[in-house]
Every structure is written in C-alpha cells, then in structure tokens.
Amino acid sequence: MSRPARPALLLAGLLAAAGTAHFVAPRQFDAIVPEALPGSSRAWTKASGVAELMLAAGLAIPATRRVSAGATAVFFAAVFPANVKMAYDWRDRPTAARTLAYARLPLQVPLILWARKAARAEG
C-alpha cells in the first residue's frame, strides 16, 4: 500500500464495516434517525448504509479516491444530527452508555479531517 493511499484505504475499511452494520444490525441505526426526516427510519438506515458502502468503494479505487474522500467528509458532517439525537436520547442512560453517546459528538471532527487528508493525498 502506497503511503498516500493508506489513509483512504483505512477509511474505506471503516466505512465498509459501518455500511455493512447498517444491514446486519439496523435497529441501532433506526433509533438515531432524527424524526424530522421524512419517511421511515429504516429507509434512512438503508440509504446511509448504501452511501457508506459506495463511499468505501470510491475510496478504494484510485481514479475516484479524491472525489470520494471529499464526499466522505460531507457525509460525516451530514450524519452529525444523528449523533446529536443519540446523545440527547441517551442522556438518562447509565454513565458508560451516556459517555459513549457523548464521545461520538467530537469524533466527527477527526473523521472529517481524515477524509480531507485522504482527498489531499490524492491531489
């Protein structure tokens, strides 16, 4: 694996795993879909799972890596409201669960920066 490709390929692996999880265990994702979105939460879960799998594929292919990395950064920003909903919904859960939910909020920043790094590495 070339040094510039490494961040993109590692990110592709993360996205592929997350995308697959949307289909293997969808209920956990259904629960964090904001109610303001039209349609069913399951449809949004499936759509975001497909998006993650497509982004992973795009990151894995050198010809589409830069565009896919940029789209991945946008995707990570777009799903942030789901993390906010999870943190709000879990505010009364035990400390460990609440900590996990709150920790997801700032995690979006390094994920976005990781995607941007992958895009720059290809530029």
Side-chain angles (χ1 to χ4, degrees):
M1 168 181 343
S2 73
R3 194 157 195 75
R6 186 179 192 91
L9 294 177
L10 292 172
L11 187 55
L14 175 74
L15 284 165
T20 300
H22 280 69
F23 294 96
V24 173
R27 287 194 312 163
Q28 66 183 355
F29 298 100
D30 294 346
I32 64 172
V33 173
E35 287 89 9
L37 293 174
S40 72
S41 58
R42 181 59 52 93
W44 285 101
T45 295
K46 289 179 179 179
S48 61
V50 167
E52 286 175 325
L53 292 170
M54 290 174 56
L55 291 167
L59 287 166
I61 300 168
T64 58
R65 190 168 291 148
R66 183 173 183 173
V67 170
S68 295
T72 298
V74 171
F75 176 81
F76 285 144
V79 299
F80 183 72
N83 293 343
V84 171
K85 181 182 183 310
M86 181 180 176
Y88 181 79
D89 289 348
W90 288 24
R91 69 191 180 282
D92 296 323
R93 289 203 180 179
T95 302
R98 194 171 54 244
T99 300
L100 174 68
Y102 294 161
R104 286 180 61 138
L105 296 172
L107 183 61
Q108 293 305 115
V109 173
L111 288 172
I112 291 167
L113 294 174
W114 185 2
R116 291 186 60 200
K117 179 179 180 177
R120 283 192 311 271
E122 292 299 317

